[in-house]
Amino acid sequence: MPSTPAASPTPSDLYRQGIRLLLAGDMAGWIDLFAEDGVAEFPFAPEGCPRRVEGRDALGAYLRGLGEHIAYEDFPYVDIHETTAPETIVVEMRATGRVTATDAPFDMTYIAVVTVRDGRFTHYRDYWNPLGIPDTLQEAVGA
């Protein structure tokens, strides 16, 4: 009897997997969740930071740098909203952790609009508050 191919994870399941990877410090695993031509947008990014990153390789370079500065410890609040478009979810969440260079606390809230196709993030729009970046993180990344 031939085996049937495994179904792609739902957008919600894929997102939850991503949170587990971030908590494990596996930034490469998080980046692998994106499609080769995936796009990430950061509409509220401060001056000097990218507002749009195109392609997994470019996104990997950007996020690896960020991953060197933040150690995620918890996502104490995650609420994933399904939409009428089955491939798109809206996520409200809060992340806590440490700024690695200074051991100062990190606490950020986000809203993300995420589209998934074929088991990969294809579009990730991340609404985070740049005013909430701790001074210690700004010093560490030169923002």
Side-chain angles (χ1 to χ4, degrees):
M1 172 181 264
S3 64
T4 57
S8 291
T10 67
S12 296
D13 290 341
L14 189 67
Y15 202 87
R16 286 184 189 96
Q17 177 185 353
I19 288 174
R20 288 189 295 274
L21 291 166
L22 290 172
L23 286 171
D26 186 354
M27 190 59 69
W30 169 255
I31 294 162
D32 280 345
L33 296 180
F34 284 81
E36 280 291 325
D37 60 349
V39 173
E41 292 183 295
F42 310 97
F44 298 146
E47 191 68 36
C49 293
R51 295 205 173 172
R52 182 178 174 94
V53 180
E54 296 184 33
R56 185 190 302 153
D57 291 342
L59 185 60
Y62 171 73
L63 290 177
R64 268 189 288 280
L66 180 64
E68 293 171 3
H69 298 290
I70 299 171
Y72 294 103
E73 295 173 348
D74 194 14
F75 286 82
Y77 175 75
V78 177
D79 194 2
I80 300 175
H81 304 275
E82 307 285 334
T83 71
T84 57
E87 68 278 359
T88 301
I89 57 174
V90 176
V91 182
E92 298 177 82
M93 67 180 177
R94 177 176 163 231
T96 60
R98 311 290 304 153
V99 176
T100 56
T102 62
D103 201 38
F106 173 82
D107 192 331
M108 180 69 69
T109 56
Y110 306 83
I111 293 178
V113 179
V114 182
T115 302
V116 172
R117 286 197 187 88
D118 300 322
R120 298 271 190 249
F121 298 137
T122 57
H123 195 216
Y124 193 106
R125 191 172 305 118
D126 192 348
Y127 295 92
W128 55 277
N129 179 5
L131 298 176
I133 298 173
D135 291 341
T136 53
L137 181 58
Q138 289 183 26
E139 291 168 16
V141 299

